Amino acid sequence: MTSTADIAVLVGRCLIACLFLAGAAQKVLDPGSSMALLTDRGLPDLLVWPALGFNALAGLALVAGWAVRPVAALLALYCGVTSLFHFLPGDPWQMSIFVKNWAIAGGCLVLAAHGPGRYVLGGHKHGVT
């Protein structure tokens, strides 16, 4: 029998994945805004492309339930690093994004600790769970 917790883990995993998939789509549709954010911080704008790839692959892995523990741990680290781009104490909007990144990192850490849950693509847990 399906438990509410099993469904909650699946929905939570997919909601977190949507954030990263949307980030990948944004980078495809408008790479310039992410490139500007990178160059404003003294980083090469070409870093947008590996970030896009990571966002897309990690998001798909979360949806599918594949290698959720290591992927979620990497996403938590990614959120921590990218939060620094938004640490602008004089800008309330950027500070809200900074805090949201840490909240998303928290959700990723829960997935890293507990794995994908019962529902994964293919009906069984792939790789490291």
Side-chain angles (χ1 to χ4, degrees), residues 53-106:
F54 177 68
N55 282 197
L57 292 174
L60 291 173
L62 289 185
V63 169
W66 294 336
V68 167
R69 288 179 188 254
V71 167
L74 288 171
L75 285 169
L77 179 63
Y78 178 84
C79 286
V81 170
T82 59
S83 73
L84 300 176
F85 289 86
H86 303 285
F87 185 73
L88 301 169
D91 185 338
W93 178 253
Q94 289 298 319
M95 290 307 292
S96 72
I97 297 170
F98 173 81
V99 172
K100 284 180 190 178
N101 274 19
W102 284 104
I104 296 160

Side-chain angles (χ1 to χ4, degrees), residues 9 11 15 25 36-38 45 70-71 73-75 107-108 111 122 125 129:
V9 172
V11 171
L15 288 172
L37 192 62
L38 289 164
D45 62 357
V71 167
L74 288 171
L75 285 169
C108 289
L111 283 176
K125 297 176 185 173
T129 60

Side-chain angles (χ1 to χ4, degrees), residues 12-23:
R13 201 177 76 220
C14 289
L15 288 172
I16 291 171
C18 283
L19 175 79
F20 294 101
L21 293 171

